[in-house]
Amino acid sequence: MRSIWNGAISFGLVSIPIKLVNATESHSISFRQIHVSDGGRVRYRKVCELDGEEVPSAEIGKGYEEADGSIVPITDEDLAQLPLATAKTIEIMSFVPAEEIDPLQMDAAYYLAANGATAAKPYTLLREALKRSRKVAIAKYALRGRERLGMLRVVDDVIAMHGLLWPDEIRAPEGVAPEGTVSVRDAELDLADALMATLGEVEMASLHDDYREAVEAMIVAKSGGAFEPTEAVVEPAGGQVIDLMAALEKSVRAAKASRGEGGAEGSDEAEAEVTPIRRKAGTGRGAGSGAAAAAPKAVGGKKSTAASAKKTAASATKKKATGAGGTGKSAAGKSASGASKSTSRTAATKSTAKTAAAKKTGAGAAKKAATPRKRTSA
């Protein structure tokens, strides 16, 4: 890779000659400006305002425009003679934990390559020191006419440097957050956590630019004369009120389906997982809980049917137990009508016979009691 800057890393009294190499590259597709009527290329011409002549790149320099419009010429020699220690040196100032660096400060990234055989030893020393300390180095350097802030860290076996914005270049996020107080329920956070867990992690190397690939395919098709534009299907955003709980549940189910975690049965399992969360949140019956409580009825039909069947079976078992204890009528006695009627008639006949026998016995006993006994003489 071609180096864009040569200098040295100043590490205390250690100086490490290095070359600066771009660590990133842009794959975005660039377009030219053309004349729509005939397709001719539209170019920019750099013209001097004083004589009206086009100026070649070799004759173009730098200048600073003052408030009155006058120009102060600045040459590369002027910039090189500035009393800056960072003109050709990446000066390390301190070592800090990586988590102390705000990602908002991250800018362009570079690889630092050892420049020559003599740089191999100190380069390796700094690299291993960064690895063992698990810290990053904060440094200052000058590049393209300005002093910059940088962060040095280890990537594989190479020292990489990230350009950092100066702290005063980070704007405060004033007026960006939603206005007013917005409350989030625990059930919504639970579903958000479930969605995050379902989506899981992603291999960064597997991500690619779909838009760029589509543009490249379109260019190839148009150059071959076989391009047929198709209208993209875009779901209307609308201005409707979103049921956040239902949207989270649907997102969880969709994420599981995309990961191949079951079909229709997987959907029922997803409902069974998220429904208790919503019921727990619905006990308060606050504002907006009606919409959230209505969602599982519309989605979880199968689950409610199963619960109803279980309830019916439990009720039947309870009735059978009650009939066996003699406190109620048996369900089996009602259903077997022929056998029950016959048994009832037989029982009634036996009961009548017993009653008649009892009456006869009682009458006989009463008659004996009424008849006087004969006394036996001594």
Side-chain angles (χ1 to χ4, degrees), residues 9-16 122 125:
I9 299 175
S10 175
F11 177 32
L13 297 178
V14 179
S15 181
I16 310 172
L125 173 64

Side-chain angles (χ1 to χ4, degrees), residues 56-92:
S57 299
E59 298 181 9
I60 297 177
K62 291 185 285 289
Y64 177 79
E65 183 177 3
E66 293 187 321
D68 59 358
S70 60
I71 302 295
V72 179
I74 304 294
T75 65
D76 293 337
E77 290 75 14
D78 295 334
L79 296 175
Q81 293 174 2
L82 291 176
L84 289 177
T86 57
K88 279 301 219 180
T89 304
I90 299 174
E91 183 181 1
I92 295 178

Side-chain angles (χ1 to χ4, degrees), residues 13-283:
L13 297 178
V14 179
S15 181
I16 310 172
I18 56 98
K19 296 184 294 184
L20 198 67
V21 179
N22 277 321
T24 62
E25 58 185 357
S26 175
H27 290 168
S28 61
I29 299 173
S30 60
F31 299 101
R32 303 293 188 185
Q33 290 186 331
I34 62 171
H35 190 194
V36 177
S37 61
D38 55 14
R41 173 85 178 274
V42 176
R43 298 178 180 270
Y44 290 104
R45 297 177 59 201
K46 297 181 179 180
V47 179
C48 177
E49 291 183 351
L50 297 180
D51 57 17
E53 297 292 331
E54 186 174 355
V55 181
S57 299
E59 298 181 9
I60 297 177
K62 291 185 285 289
Y64 177 79
E65 183 177 3
E66 293 187 321
D68 59 358
S70 60
I71 302 295
V72 179
I74 304 294
T75 65
D76 293 337
E77 290 75 14
D78 295 334
L79 296 175
Q81 293 174 2
L82 291 176
L84 289 177
T86 57
K88 279 301 219 180
T89 304
I90 299 174
E91 183 181 1
I92 295 178
M93 299 179 296
S94 64
F95 295 88
V96 299
E99 55 268 18
E100 291 189 8
I101 305 301
D102 190 345
L104 284 174
Q105 289 186 257
M106 295 289 187
D107 201 355
Y110 308 94
Y111 290 134
L112 304 182
N115 193 3
T118 58
K121 179 72 175 180
Y123 183 95
T124 305
L125 173 64
L126 176 59
R127 183 190 68 194
E128 295 304 315
L130 289 172
K131 280 184 179 180
R132 190 167 70 171
S133 67
R134 297 183 180 179
K135 293 183 177 181
V136 297
I138 302 300
K140 292 169 67 176
Y141 65 101
L143 181 65
R144 298 189 179 100
R146 56 170 294 195
E147 189 175 52
R148 303 168 187 263
L149 193 63
M151 178 191 75
L152 277 64
R153 69 184 184 97
V154 178
V155 178
D156 295 333
D157 288 332
V158 176
I159 299 176
M161 182 175 68
H162 295 269
L164 299 178
L165 298 176
W166 295 98
D168 59 357
E169 293 180 318
I170 305 297
R171 300 174 62 184
E174 297 177 356
V176 179
E179 297 181 359
T181 303
V182 179
S183 61
V184 179
R185 294 181 295 166
D186 290 340
E188 295 167 341
L189 286 174
D190 292 340
L191 278 175
D193 291 340
L195 177 59
M196 292 169 62
T198 304
L199 291 176
E201 299 179 357
V202 64
E203 290 290 338
M204 296 299 293
S206 66
L207 302 178
H208 59 278
D209 189 349
D210 294 328
Y211 181 80
R212 177 175 59 86
E213 292 179 357
V215 172
E216 289 176 346
M218 177 192 65
I219 293 173
V220 172
K222 292 198 75 169
S223 63
F227 176 69
E228 294 182 1
T230 57
E231 185 176 355
V233 180
V234 180
E235 296 183 0
Q240 67 230 14
V241 177
I242 298 176
D243 186 344
L244 185 57
M245 295 290 288
L248 287 170
E249 289 179 352
K250 186 176 180 181
S251 300
V252 171
R253 292 195 295 271
K256 287 189 174 183
S258 65
R259 295 169 66 89
E261 297 183 6
E265 295 181 359
S267 299
D268 293 340
E269 292 177 0
E271 293 165 11
E273 290 178 3
V274 298
T275 299
I277 297 175
R278 185 169 57 256
R279 286 179 180 173
K280 180 179 179 182
T283 54

